[in-house]
Every structure is written in C-alpha cells, then in structure tokens.
Amino acid sequence: MLGFITRPPHRFLSLLCPGLRIPQLSVLCAQPRPRAMAISSSSCELPLVAVCQVTSTPDKQQNFKTCAELVREAARLGACLAFLPEAFDFIARDPAETLHLSEPLGGKLLEEYTQLARECGLWLSLGGFHERGQDWEQTQKIYNCHVLLNSKGAVVATYRKTHLCDVEIPGQGPMCESNSTMPGPSLESPVSTPAGKIGLAVCYDMRFPELSLALAQAGAEILTYPSAFGSVTGPAHWEPVSS
C-alpha cells in the first residue's frame, strides 16, 4: 500500500517502506505513520522513506521552497530519507539558461539543502543537480549529478550521469543533453543508508541494464532512477522500462 500526501498543483509526496523484495528489484510498500518509529523486540518496523515529486521552473528559490515544504512534511511523518527528482533545482527554458543557472557543489543552493537535511534530521537524495564541475572553465559544460546527503548535511556520495539522453523526438526535433552536459566518468559504489544500500543512477541510465546489474552485484538493495522525463519521452522510456 502507498500512503500519498497531495499538495497544490505540481507538488506530490508519497511515503514508502522498502520491504518485500523480488529478484533484483525492490517492492515498495507503505502506509502513513507517525514521526516516531519505535522498533520493539516483538515487531520490527520497516524504515519509512518519502518520494517527493515536483514540477521545477527556472526559479531556483521557488523550487527550493517547494522541495523544502515536502521534505519537512516527510520528516514530520517520520521518514528517514527523502528522494527528490532529477532537475529538482531548476528546469530552464533553453540550454543557455541551463548553463547560466548551474552552480558548483560548493555553491549557495546545495548549502541550503545541506542545512535542510540537518534541520530535518533525515537523508536527502538530490536526484539530478546541474553541477559546474572542476572542468567548467575548460569545457563550459555541466554534469547531471545525483547527490546523496546524510542527516548531518554531509555529502556522502555523488554520481554523475553516464548515459546522456540524445534522442530524436517526433514532432519536436532532437533533444541533445550532450550539447550542455558532460557524461560522468564512473559509477558510484552503493551507499549504506537507514533505508538500505542504495545504488545511484539518473533517468536515461534506466535504458542500460549493465549499470543496474553492476550496482546489484556490488550489493545495492535499492536502485534509484530519479527522472524528469517529458510527455513524449516518459511513455517511450519510463513507462515500458519501469513496468
């Protein structure tokens, strides 16, 4: 069962318990429960996680406000970890604006999220941060970076998307992520969290089973694919591959 909390348009929170498992997949089941999640000797409760869905805009501060409200609500309900989607920080109107709005990991926006994690006392999966890497001056391109923060606000893992989405969209022309984004150099080892051992990926990575297999063989219990698929790419990629 899923416990859903609805918000005004473009915001959505679902509460999940990673629990039952089938081979190579995690089946998520949940029910809303109070903040206190006591574990007694007679019954062991599963950890509660929150999946936050937002529709990002070019306004980074408004996006942060929206995400922060959902994260605080997740913490209030007892979640130990909250997942935010790809492009949680912003979605720009064009590649030039994307590059202009991007920040390094040590920038102001990520600092706000580290403070949020500390304030709420829960882990944050920041599913796709537009990162200006150390090679920004040379490349003038960014990374699509999945950042994992612990409950103290420390960055415990970063994975830079390796498979960039360069596709022809019928009726819309090409979508070339590689025009503004560099592919990441490597996979990130699965990370132990209060919800289990998590393997980090991003969106279009789902199309490449070798990545998920490598993470599973390295011990990942939960595979994460935070995504910002559109109205055309969602039905073509997300729905058939994830179902």
Side-chain angles (χ1 to χ4, degrees), residues 84-100:
L84 293 173
E86 180 186 28
F88 69 94
D89 50 353
F90 66 86
I91 291 182
R93 287 168 282 249
D94 54 58
E97 186 177 42
T98 295
L99 295 176
H100 174 71

Side-chain angles (χ1 to χ4, degrees), residues 60-235:
K60 292 192 286 186
Q61 282 306 305
Q62 182 58 48
N63 296 335
F64 173 74
K65 180 180 178 181
T66 300
C67 290
E69 289 177 0
L70 291 173
V71 169
R72 290 185 178 110
E73 182 72 356
R76 186 185 70 80
L77 292 167
C80 64
L81 190 154
F83 293 91
L84 293 173
E86 180 186 28
F88 69 94
D89 50 353
F90 66 86
I91 291 182
R93 287 168 282 249
D94 54 58
E97 186 177 42
T98 295
L99 295 176
H100 174 71
L101 292 174
S102 63
E103 297 184 18
L105 289 180
K108 176 184 175 183
L109 186 61
L110 198 65
E111 175 58 28
E112 290 182 302
Y113 279 95
T114 63
Q115 292 177 7
L116 179 65
R118 287 195 297 268
E119 170 199 327
C120 295
L122 81 173
W123 288 56
L124 289 180
S125 165
L126 307 178
F129 177 75
H130 296 86
E131 179 205 0
R132 290 191 185 186
Q134 295 181 350
D135 55 0
W136 164 254
E137 294 296 333
Q138 292 75 38
T139 66
Q140 292 296 294
K141 291 186 177 184
I142 60 175
Y143 292 95
N144 190 339
C145 186
H146 188 163
V147 183
L148 189 63
L149 305 178
N150 67 17
S151 57
K152 296 181 180 180
V155 175
V156 295
T158 54
Y159 163 72
R160 294 164 180 87
K161 184 179 177 183
T162 55
H163 301 100
L164 303 182
C165 190
D166 289 358
V167 297
E168 290 283 342
I169 302 177
Q172 297 183 25
M175 182 177 73
C176 295
E177 188 176 15
S178 61
N179 285 346
S180 59
T181 305
M182 296 285 289
S186 62
L187 300 183
E188 178 71 19
S189 297
V191 182
S192 294
T193 77
K197 206 165 186 179
I198 292 180
L200 304 180
V202 179
C203 197
Y204 194 57
D205 284 330
M206 179 177 278
R207 273 292 186 185
F208 302 87
E210 296 84 359
L211 184 151
S212 58
L213 181 60
L215 290 173
Q217 290 176 337
E221 298 171 303
I222 303 170
L223 301 180
T224 57
Y225 295 93
S227 300
F229 279 117
S231 59
V232 175
T233 57

